[in-house]
Amino acid sequence: MPVVTPEKLAALQQHADDIRNICILAHVDHGKTSLTDTLLATNGIISPKLAGKIRYLDSRPDEQIRGITMESSAISLYFSMLRRPAPDAEPIPKEYLINLIDSPGHIDFSSEVSTASRLCDGAVVLVDAVEGVCSQTVTVLRQTWTEKLKPLLVINKLDRLITELKMTPGEAYIHLSKLLEQVNAVLGSFFQGERMEEDLNWRERMDERVAAAAAKEAKAGDFESEAGDFQYEERDDEELYFAPEKNNVIFSSAIDGWAFTVRQFASLYEKKLGIKRTTMEKVLWGDFYLDPKTKKVLGRKHLKGRNLKPMFVQLVLEQVWAVYQATTGGDHGKGDPALLDKITKSLNISIPPHIIRSRDPRLLLTTVISSWLPLSTALLVSVVESLPSPKVAQAERLPEMLEDSPGSTHIDPLVKDAMVNFKTSKSDPVVAYVSKVVSIPESELPENKRRTGQLSAEEARELARKKRAEFARAQAAESNATDDLTSALDSVNLDDFVPEAEEKRVDPEHLIGFARMYSGTLSVGDTLYVLPPKFTPANPHAAPEPQKVTVTALYMFMGRNLESLNSVPAGVVFGIGGLDGCILKSGTLCSQLEGSVNLAGVHMAGKPIVRVALEPVNPADLDKMIEGLKLLVRSDPCAEYEQFGSGEHVLLTAGELHLERCLTDLKERFARCDIQAGAPIVPYRETIVRADEMRPPVNKELGRGVVVGVTNSKQVSITVRVRPLPTEVTEFLIKNPGTVKRLYSERKALDEAEAESEIGVDEEQQSVEDDEDLLDGKGLSLEDFKKQLQTNLETGKGREVWKGVIDKITAFGPRRVGPNLLIDATKDGCFPKIFAPEKQEDGSRPQAGEALHAEHLCDKVTYAFQLAMNQGPLCNEPVQGVAVIIEDLTIAPTEEETSARDRLGRLTGEVIKTVQQSIRQGFLDWSPRLMLAMYSCEIQASTEVLGRVYEVLTRRRGRVLSEQMKEGTPFFTIQSTIPAAESFGFADEMRKRTSGAAQPQLIFAGFDVVVDEDPFWQPFTEDDLEDLGELADRENVAKRYMDGVRRRKGLLVEGRGQRVAAEKQKTLKR
């Protein structure tokens, strides 16, 4: 197919019904980029011979070296096919524009998948026929579910079943059926989860209505009819699943360039068997058999014991297997010439002579099979027929998306109507969503690239002038050469010679928004408002005020190139210039501010966890590095940058590979200076447990974990009890930080309510608060949160101490949302309570002439609790799973005549310090544990390398959770966990040890106690002292981790040094 001009593609953008916006999603190495290559070959962008080898959309050098995609890239493709306008009409050629986004499959770049899927209307999900459903396959299917994208399933790498696993067509059919069941089971689990939630909400609404009706004391008849109106609506899930007969499953091999759908074979056999195509489509997959005598289709129960093959095996798979047998099968993989001749004649395919002479079986195979079943035709026809156009997709997806957006009740009806009903005229409001920002060097922008083709008159004159000047200089040099030579040699002084420094031309980076139009038409020069992620139409002028920008350029993405556009209509994926400094990572663009819509809130699957401190090799380049970091953070959806109080510049990334890519970009493009990265900083958590062997409590009379703290001035004494929280409570609090945040904001609103009541309550502000919670995700209602927390606290063995504690909770920590509790157990209950039904008096500020009371110190104690929970005693890391109970707070009377206000100022620092120290002492009275950040790790490996996989896992303190063999394949799937601290270099070591046969996928899975050992443990029982001696000669691994963090933070590291005795001194040699 000839090269399609950008002008042609731009013209097709105006016909919204003929546009398809699709993204290609899959697990890493399942063949996304190879599949895309074959589609690009149809537009003449690359040669069909190189499809699958060149990986055109992997435009970065490191993507080509590693062989994986790291950034999602878009390209627009032209596709023409014959379609019938009506069932009886003649087919006419119809042209389509396919906006295709190729996304990464590696877990480190899952944020790129999130940004790509938000812009599209349909998704092509690839699954490897041998590896089956992997961890990222489930992730991308969940992404399509949450974004309400219509999926199309491509079962790729079918050639591996023939060449690698040597399956027969019958075995392959059983294998493919099971694979399809696995994919559908994943979709079914999403549907079931959603239905259970809907069912629960429906029951709650029913209970509310029944209660409301009973409260009205209505008549029995009216009451029944009201409840009867509200029926539970059943939903059919049949449309969700993939089924070949529905034409939403494609069988393919991207590397060999072929693919087919059931519909293709149905039309092939329609005339031969005399069965209608629509009927044939339904029976070609499944338990249907063809009677060889009567040529009738039979179900399983009509077989009567005959051993017939399923129709899919007999009519489809055996034909594909025959082509492989004819070209690459037979003796020594040379194929079967007689069978090949028969196949080419029956399919009416002519093979070019040079391919027959080449003696390359692979080339022969790809030529024959891609001529018969071209991949691009099967895939693009399915995309056009099965996936919706932007107009249809927006009508289905947007009502729900707008309802979930912040301040949905304040959206202007005109904006809502333009988006849902897909209005594209110039007068309609413009709404576009920028899902990420990409950085493009200035030299690669279309306006700076020299156009191929004829020169303009101005360019020709300029070129001629330069040539004449060069010629004149050359002539002058020739005539003066002999005269000047002697004088030049006399005047030369080699000692003073300094070579001229070559001027390196800096190629500045420009930020281009990767966006999707939802309504209206956007042209260059138009002005738009950039809405920040926390914007709400309920309060459009709230800080930060949305900025107004002028669109400087519009682009069409063509893989590694950009093409300029003058205007963009709704339904198109495009690039937008002019957003520098106005948008951080994502945002909404709208032509009006009042009543506009905020489409932000892309759910990022991977949170950055790996931190690295950076510093420039040359300290003078510090400003360059900081500017580069800011640019990097804008252009990467997942990277974040922090500057610590210690002055460290820290980069946060999703994983080791992501970190490597960020550092490369920073050195080569954004900062352009040498940067050295420190050792990765991994987060830890500290907690306490009730161990079997603990030292006796410090204070035996008061009990374990109780500390009586007295301030330096002896004026205030406080009794603190520290106790480990039940595991269920800790897990519950970790899962619901959003609800805790809402709890605080409601309490704050209550405190402000009285001040506002005098001037009228500001309802607008309240709705803003609610919308911010909506951005954090829908959490539990506050009532449910309280009930579930109480249940977790009080139910279980030995929970008597937690009875009635729920109403004494004063604070959560650290940062007011963490999994630790501050509980008020003082006699007078002087602390304000979180779940208090009524508003409490704020007693933190003493009145004039009032004596100092315990209430005045409550907020100081709470603040000390937050500090203590944020920096634990082991190595200043956050604490989790601890309850701090304040049992007594007394203030000693003094004879001084000072007022309470003066005393409070002096006591504040003392109280905070004393409470903090008391909590630390109480913490260490239990058995402390260091919790490590954990990755869940999925590895696919064959039986030959299984031993080596276990060896690498064990060496890095990994824990195997399960091992399953995939039926019909020699592969095992190993599920395990590995500490993040031990994960650096893990993937490389795994590949080296297994010769590339095993690839681990690491996903952050929370914190866990891997080393169940007290970092301060020393032998104290007689048995331990006898076995280990006073110095405990075995290594304490928990202490090693703890000391590593303490050293990095510059804290005191306790313990003996390297030398124990002179004769045991370790030297470099030994």
Side-chain angles (χ1 to χ4, degrees):
M1 193 179 273
V3 178
V4 183
T5 60
E7 290 77 19
K8 172 87 173 165
L9 294 172
L12 284 170
Q13 287 184 347
Q14 306 301 324
H15 309 293
D17 290 334
D18 300 338
I19 295 175
R20 299 289 183 273
N21 296 319
I22 60 165
C23 52
I24 298 189
L25 310 174
H27 186 78
V28 67
D29 284 339
H30 278 200
K32 295 178 293 299
T33 311
S34 304
L35 184 88
T36 313
D37 268 7
T38 316
L39 302 183
L40 300 185
T42 63
N43 275 227
I45 295 168
I46 58 171
S47 159
K49 287 180 187 173
L50 295 174
K53 302 176 187 72
I54 199 169
R55 300 201 316 280
Y56 181 81
L57 289 184
D58 285 355
S59 50
R60 296 168 55 98
D62 47 359
E63 287 180 324
Q64 288 289 344
I65 293 163
R66 283 185 172 271
I68 62 168
T69 308
M70 296 186 190
E71 281 182 354
S72 51
S73 38
I75 195 158
S76 296
L77 299 176
Y78 165 84
F79 179 59
S80 173
M81 64 182 277
L82 291 169
R83 290 203 80 175
R84 297 175 194 272
D88 307 327
E90 280 293 308
I92 54 168
K94 204 157 170 40
E95 295 176 330
Y96 291 93
L97 175 69
I98 314 280
N99 291 322
L100 177 122
I101 303 178
D102 180 29
S103 65
H106 196 283
I107 187 69
D108 279 14
F109 308 111
S110 52
S111 56
E112 293 276 351
V113 179
S114 308
T115 56
S117 56
R118 175 52 73 94
L119 302 181
C120 296
D121 304 313
V124 176
V125 179
L126 269 76
V127 178
D128 187 322
V130 176
E131 291 184 10
V133 176
C134 298
S135 57
Q136 274 299 92
T137 314
V138 178
T139 309
V140 298
L141 283 168
R142 185 178 288 111
Q143 193 74 42
T144 60
W145 178 265
T146 52
E147 292 287 352
K148 302 280 184 289
L149 300 180
K150 192 166 182 195
L152 195 64
L153 180 68
V154 176
I155 298 177
N156 195 24
K157 302 196 183 183
L158 279 184
D159 57 296
R160 289 182 71 188
L161 301 183
I162 306 169
T163 55
E164 203 175 300
L165 300 184
K166 304 275 190 282
M167 285 187 176
T168 63
E171 290 167 347
Y173 171 67
I174 294 164
H175 181 79
L176 292 171
S177 305
K178 285 181 179 168
L179 178 57
L180 202 57
E181 277 173 26
Q182 285 174 4
V183 178
N184 283 334
V186 173
L187 288 176
S189 67
F190 300 153
F191 177 78
Q192 187 184 2
E194 196 174 87
R195 291 305 281 157
M196 284 169 76
E197 192 181 335
E198 281 178 16
D199 181 41
L200 184 70
N201 294 342
W202 177 78
R203 286 176 197 284
E204 284 177 0
R205 287 202 303 272
M206 277 296 290
D207 292 345
E208 282 169 19
R209 286 185 65 158
V210 169
K216 282 179 188 172
E217 295 178 355
K219 292 175 191 172
D222 298 342
F223 172 63
E224 278 171 21
S225 65
E226 193 167 333
D229 293 342
F230 202 62
Q231 287 293 321
Y232 181 62
E233 185 192 343
E234 287 296 340
R235 259 173 61 196
D236 186 20
D237 60 344
E238 198 180 330
E239 285 302 308
L240 300 176
Y241 300 119
F242 294 115
E245 60 269 21
K246 285 190 204 163
N247 210 35
N248 60 5
V249 179
I250 300 166
F251 302 91
S252 84
S253 165
I255 199 79
D256 290 343
W258 60 268
F260 65 84
T261 57
V262 163
R263 181 170 289 181
Q264 266 177 287
F265 273 94
S267 51
L268 279 174
Y269 286 112
E270 185 180 16
K271 287 177 187 169
K272 199 168 185 180
L273 298 175
I275 301 170
K276 278 188 183 175
R277 195 184 81 175
T278 48
T279 314
M280 196 69 183
E281 278 176 33
K282 289 173 188 167
V283 297
L284 208 47
W285 175 270
D287 284 338
F288 296 103
Y289 305 84
L290 188 67
D291 191 325
K293 292 175 185 172
T294 61
K295 293 279 188 279
K296 283 187 177 176
V297 178
L298 308 172
R300 184 182 277 280
K301 57 184 177 185
H302 298 297
L303 281 179
K304 295 174 184 169
R306 282 185 293 175
N307 189 18
L308 295 180
K309 295 173 188 169
M311 285 176 72
F312 190 75
V313 174
Q314 188 184 351
L315 302 180
V316 180
L317 294 183
E318 283 187 354
Q319 319 310 317
V320 177
W321 258 244
V323 175
Y324 273 83
Q325 179 63 29
T327 51
T328 58
D331 299 331
H332 312 296
K334 297 286 184 193
D336 184 341
L339 180 59
L340 179 63
D341 192 45
K342 190 178 170 186
I343 287 169
T344 49
K345 278 179 184 170
S346 64
L347 294 175
N348 201 15
I349 296 170
S350 58
I351 304 170
H354 70 275
I355 289 174
I356 295 171
R357 287 198 300 271
S358 72
R359 295 186 181 179
D360 181 359
R362 291 272 316 151
L363 184 60
L364 195 59
L365 165 71
T366 51
T367 308
V368 174
I369 203 155
S370 61
S371 306
W372 175 39
L373 301 169
L375 186 146
S376 53
T377 310
L379 183 62
L380 293 177
V381 168
S382 297
V383 163
V384 166
E385 291 182 348
S386 302
L387 299 184
S389 64
K391 193 172 181 177
V392 177
Q394 283 186 205
E396 285 177 11
R397 286 174 71 199
L398 283 182
E400 198 172 321
M401 208 153 102
L402 292 175
E403 206 174 295
D404 290 347
S405 70
S408 54
T409 50
H410 295 81
I411 297 171
D412 187 341
L414 281 172
V415 174
K416 202 179 253 185
D417 179 53
M419 290 176 74
V420 174
N421 297 326
F422 198 77
K423 298 197 171 169
T424 59
S425 72
K426 270 293 214 183
S427 57
D428 289 311
V430 171
V431 178
Y433 177 67
V434 180
S435 76
K436 71 167 184 169
V437 179
V438 290
S439 181
I440 308 280
E442 192 175 79
S443 58
E444 288 185 20
L445 293 175
E447 51 264 35
N448 301 326
K449 279 193 170 181
R450 199 177 152 305
R451 284 269 173 202
T452 52
Q454 292 183 338
L455 295 173
S456 68
E458 282 296 318
E459 285 175 326
R461 276 195 287 275
E462 183 67 22
L463 195 63
R465 193 182 58 73
K466 281 182 184 171
K467 290 280 182 193
R468 278 198 299 274
E470 274 177 32
F471 185 64
R473 275 200 302 274
Q475 273 192 329
E478 257 178 48
S479 59
N480 299 335
T482 49
D483 306 337
D484 297 347
L485 190 61
T486 49
S487 55
L489 284 169
D490 293 340
S491 62
V492 166
N493 181 4
L494 290 176
D495 297 333
D496 301 336
F497 177 70
V498 178
E500 279 185 33
E502 276 187 39
E503 268 194 42
K504 282 184 81 176
R505 190 178 161 275
V506 176
D507 194 3
E509 298 280 335
H510 285 263
L511 297 176
I512 305 291
F514 193 43
R516 156 78 187 262
M517 280 288 284
Y518 284 102
S519 69
T521 298
L522 184 62
S523 304
V524 176
D526 288 359
T527 53
L528 293 170
Y529 288 98
V530 178
L531 311 181
K534 287 203 170 183
F535 171 85
T536 170
N539 190 358
H541 297 286
E545 180 93 21
Q547 289 176 281
K548 205 168 188 180
V549 295
T550 304
V551 178
T552 56
L554 294 169
Y555 303 105
M556 182 197 299
F557 286 106
M558 290 298 291
R560 42 188 97 179
N561 303 321
L562 295 170
E563 296 293 344
S564 288
L565 296 170
N566 292 323
S567 68
V568 174
V572 170
V573 174
F574 67 103
I576 179 169
L579 303 178
D580 285 25
C582 302
I583 196 164
L584 183 59
K585 288 176 186 285
S586 65
T588 313
L589 307 176
C590 201
S591 54
Q592 62 184 65
L593 190 56
E594 306 292 332
S596 54
V597 59
N598 182 6
L599 296 170
V602 173
H603 172 65
M604 293 295 174
K607 292 230 170 6
I609 177 181
V610 178
R611 298 158 180 247
V612 173
L614 305 176
E615 61 175 354
V617 174
N618 178 3
D621 291 334
L622 183 62
D623 289 343
K624 270 190 191 177
M625 187 186 84
I626 293 170
E627 281 306 309
L629 276 167
K630 286 176 182 171
L631 258 176
L632 172 73
V633 167
R634 276 193 198 157
S635 65
D636 192 303
C638 195
E640 288 177 20
Y641 159 58
E642 281 180 18
Q643 189 170 354
F644 285 0
S646 57
E648 284 179 303
H649 297 276
V650 175
L651 179 67
L652 282 82
T653 58
E656 199 180 352
L657 188 60
H658 185 215
L659 170 65
E660 202 176 302
R661 192 197 78 183
C662 288
L663 288 176
T664 307
D665 278 355
L666 201 56
K667 288 175 191 171
E668 294 176 4
R669 291 173 61 192
F670 299 127
R672 288 196 174 84
C673 62
D674 281 338
I675 291 169
Q676 60 188 41
I681 305 165
V682 178
Y684 291 85
R685 293 286 181 271
E686 300 178 19
T687 190
I688 49 175
V689 295
R690 189 190 297 274
D692 295 334
E693 289 183 5
M694 287 194 285
R695 283 190 175 280
V698 175
N699 193 326
K700 289 183 182 175
E701 294 163 16
L702 294 170
R704 189 177 292 282
V706 181
V707 179
V708 179
V710 182
T711 58
N712 291 349
S713 60
K714 307 284 187 287
Q715 292 185 39
V716 179
S717 73
I718 183 163
T719 309
V720 172
R721 180 186 293 274
V722 177
R723 183 174 273 152
L725 271 176
T727 319
E728 298 85 355
V729 179
T730 311
E731 286 172 1
F732 176 72
L733 291 173
I734 289 169
K735 281 179 191 167
N736 295 292
T739 314
V740 180
K741 203 173 175 184
R742 201 158 69 239
L743 203 61
Y744 272 102
S745 65
E746 292 211 357
R747 229 182 81 184
K748 194 177 170 188
L750 261 174
D751 295 344
E752 291 168 1
E754 272 185 22
E756 286 174 354
S757 62
E758 293 163 22
I759 52 168
V761 178
D762 188 359
E763 288 179 10
E764 292 285 302
Q765 194 58 42
Q766 185 54 42
S767 63
V768 174
E769 295 278 329
D770 297 342
D771 290 327
E772 286 194 8
D773 299 327
L774 218 156
L775 284 168
D776 294 336
K778 290 178 180 172
L780 290 167
S781 70
L782 300 181
E783 277 302 310
D784 287 349
F785 177 76
K786 185 180 176 182
K787 276 181 202 163
Q788 290 188 32
L789 182 59
Q790 187 168 4
T791 310
N792 284 324
L793 274 168
E794 296 178 4
T795 51
K797 197 178 173 186
R799 298 283 177 88
E800 289 74 26
V801 290
W802 303 106
K803 291 273 189 270
V805 158
I806 191 80
D807 293 321
K808 295 179 184 176
I809 295 174
T810 298
F812 297 90
R815 299 190 178 187
R816 303 195 307 178
V817 291
N820 303 294
L821 301 179
L822 178 65
I823 295 161
D824 174 19
T826 54
K827 286 177 192 169
D828 307 329
C830 49
F831 285 81
K833 313 295 185 295
I834 281 278
F835 294 110
E838 73 286 334
K839 186 186 171 299
Q840 292 156 343
E841 290 298 317
D842 182 19
S844 60
R845 295 193 190 102
Q847 302 299 316
E850 189 187 352
L852 197 62
H853 295 300
E855 285 87 349
H856 299 148
L857 298 173
C858 288
D859 59 333
K860 283 63 180 175
V861 174
T862 310
Y863 182 65
F865 163 75
Q866 299 292 353
L867 288 176
M869 293 300 103
N870 201 36
Q871 294 193 328
L874 299 184
C875 50
N876 282 10
E877 289 287 323
V879 175
Q880 75 176 41
V882 171
V884 177
I885 302 157
I886 308 294
E887 296 193 336
D888 186 37
L889 177 60
T890 50
I891 298 170
T894 56
E895 287 148 20
E896 292 175 32
E897 292 279 324
T898 51
S899 70
R901 287 186 182 183
D902 294 343
R903 281 180 67 197
L904 186 64
R906 285 205 306 272
L907 285 174
T908 298
E910 287 185 24
V911 169
I912 289 172
K913 187 180 172 188
T914 307
V915 173
Q916 222 179 328
Q917 285 176 345
S918 303
I919 293 173
R920 284 182 164 227
Q921 286 167 21
F923 185 99
L924 294 173
D925 208 6
W926 294 86
S927 186
R929 293 285 184 273
L930 197 61
M931 300 181 85
L932 279 68
M934 298 299 288
Y935 279 128
S936 73
C937 169
E938 184 186 86
I939 304 168
Q940 283 221 341
S942 58
T943 42
E944 297 90 58
V945 296
L946 212 55
R948 291 174 192 172
V949 168
Y950 281 128
E951 180 195 329
V952 177
L953 269 173
T954 313
R955 196 182 306 138
R956 290 177 176 266
R957 301 197 175 278
R959 193 166 61 216
V960 176
L961 305 175
S962 69
E963 175 192 287
Q964 288 180 326
M965 187 171 188
K966 294 226 165 191
E967 279 187 53
T969 71
F971 290 100
F972 281 86
T973 301
I974 301 153
Q975 296 283 355
S976 59
T977 57
I978 177 172
E982 301 284 353
S983 70
F984 301 102
F986 172 65
D988 282 344
E989 188 186 356
M990 183 67 80
R991 276 197 294 273
K992 280 175 191 164
R993 297 288 298 139
T994 61
S995 308
Q999 290 255 12
Q1001 285 275 307
L1002 301 171
I1003 305 167
F1004 179 60
F1007 293 85
D1008 194 13
V1009 179
V1010 178
V1011 186
D1012 196 12
E1013 197 172 11
D1014 182 345
F1016 299 118
W1017 182 85
Q1018 284 192 335
F1020 63 93
T1021 62
E1022 284 185 15
D1023 292 347
D1024 284 344
L1025 285 165
E1026 194 176 311
D1027 289 346
L1028 302 163
E1030 283 183 21
L1031 293 169
D1033 288 334
R1034 70 171 188 204
E1035 188 195 19
N1036 186 331
V1037 180
K1039 187 174 188 317
R1040 190 184 76 205
Y1041 283 130
M1042 183 184 82
D1043 288 350
V1045 181
R1046 291 184 75 90
R1047 256 186 224 102
R1048 178 172 58 76
K1049 291 187 175 181
L1051 303 171
L1052 175 69
V1053 177
E1054 292 176 352
R1056 64 182 190 272
Q1058 199 72 303
R1059 273 176 290 172
V1060 179
E1063 69 270 22
K1064 288 185 180 175
Q1065 179 180 348
K1066 284 195 176 179
T1067 64
L1068 290 174
K1069 285 187 178 177
R1070 210 173 36 225

